[in-house]
Amino acid sequence: VRSLARVGILGGTGALGRGLALRWAMASVDVRLGSRDAHRAEDAAARLRERLQDRPGVGAISGGTNRAVAASEPTLVLAVPLAGLEASLAEFGDVLHGRTVVCAVNPLAFDTAGPLLAPVPTSSAPTSSTPMSSVAETVAAALPETTVVAALHTVSSHELAALGRPMDDDVPVVGDDIDACAEVAALVDRIEGCRGVVVGALRLAVGLEALTPVLIAVNQRASAHVGVRFSRLPTATDTTSDG
Ligand SMILES: NC(=O)c1ccc[n+]([C@@H]2O[C@H](COP(=O)([O-])OP(=O)(O)OC[C@H]3O[C@@H](n4cnc5c(N)ncnc54)[C@H](OP(=O)(O)O)[C@@H]3O)[C@@H](O)[C@H]2O)c1
């Protein structure tokens, strides 16, 4: 697996993008934040660099328009809100040909009973074999020349920004390109306390997207910022030593 030393974040000025940028830069990964407005991205990047200024060996953090970032980076996290997805794909989708895009978009809604899974706008009606579609599959259908992976739905931006403590998260990764999944999992592994877990095909993205309202409901009841862990998952070392 190629170890990625750079990543772009589309919608990178938001809470998730800024948190990931801090953690990846701390792991010597170069990060480019994208925005609809180049100045907003440059400002956000400057503030993050300032937060890391006393740390040795940090990666570079820069900013630009989403289009410029998509054009310069082979691997990109898609971190825009669902409400902005269509406009975002219209803004920079054509520049994503040949790229790997990690979709972190959660289809989330709230009503008086709390958080719930929002319906995903889709061009085709659900069928019995695919009763629900995910944001990630919608993105993959819209971008046939792009490798789409889905991951990072359950990491808390609050925890990412709390640099005093390592993360404590498994990060399930799904996608139809196994090499791309492995690369993304390795990129996740670079964040201290995060473990990328390759799960399987992109059609399982609906399960990952559906975890977020569950976690938010737990957070609301427990005043916490929980993440997920897969218990009893053997590590590569366990597998070889057990035969
Ligand atoms: N926050 C979390 O803890 C977390 C964790 C996992 C996954 N996620 C998912 O990751 C995505 C980003 O989350 P976030 O909390 O960082 O979101 P956010 O702050 O609401 O949005 C991220 C960025 O997207 C851009 N944006 C906002 N509205 C837009 C629109 N209508 N069209 C195009 N771009 C727009 C903005 O950047 P510019 O104005 O600079 O263009 C904004 O800074 C969401 O889909 C969320 O479900 C979030």
Side-chain angles (χ1 to χ4, degrees):
V1 175
R2 220 170 21 125
S3 182
L4 299 170
R6 55 192 289 173
V7 65
I9 306 179
L10 302 162
T13 56
L16 179 65
R18 285 181 282 118
L20 287 171
L22 285 168
R23 294 287 179 161
W24 271 322
M26 282 166 66
S28 306
V29 175
D30 293 341
V31 185
R32 285 202 79 193
L33 300 181
S35 167
R36 289 167 293 183
D37 176 334
H39 294 298
R40 199 148 57 228
E42 284 156 13
D43 286 352
R47 282 198 299 276
L48 298 180
R49 284 197 302 271
E50 212 167 292
R51 264 198 85 179
L52 298 180
Q53 66 186 352
D54 297 328
R55 292 170 188 263
V58 296
I61 305 178
S62 59
T65 62
N66 285 320
R67 277 191 80 80
V69 172
S72 70
E73 300 306 311
T75 307
L76 297 131
V77 175
L78 183 59
V80 297
L82 180 61
L85 183 64
E86 205 183 327
S88 297
L89 295 183
E91 178 196 348
F92 52 70
D94 61 310
V95 206
L96 295 173
H97 284 206
R99 305 286 190 266
T100 295
V101 168
V102 184
C103 183
V105 178
N106 282 312
L108 195 60
F110 293 87
D111 66 12
T112 50
L116 72 157
L117 193 61
V120 175
T122 167
S123 49
S124 57
T127 65
S128 57
S129 59
T130 53
M132 290 174 74
S133 70
S134 60
V135 180
E137 288 169 287
T138 306
V139 171
L143 304 175
E145 306 299 324
T146 300
T147 303
V148 176
V149 169
L152 298 165
H153 308 84
T154 55
V155 295
S156 154
S157 57
H158 179 273
E159 289 302 305
L160 287 168
L163 301 184
R165 51 181 180 265
M167 299 295 287
D168 184 12
D169 290 78
D170 277 341
V171 177
V173 177
V174 301
D176 293 336
D177 181 320
I178 192 73
D179 293 333
C181 287
E183 274 180 19
V184 170
L187 187 60
V188 166
D189 285 342
R190 294 186 66 147
I191 297 176
E192 190 185 1
C194 280
R195 174 172 65 166
V197 178
V198 178
V199 174
L202 195 68
R203 66 185 187 182
L204 295 173
V206 64
L208 306 189
E209 294 174 8
L211 282 172
T212 298
V214 175
L215 299 189
I216 292 173
V218 173
N219 288 343
Q220 289 178 341
R221 294 177 70 90
S223 299
H225 297 278
V226 299
V228 299
R229 280 291 195 195
F230 292 109
S231 62
R232 293 176 292 284
L233 178 67
T235 62
T237 331
D238 295 337
T239 317
T240 32
S241 60
D242 288 357

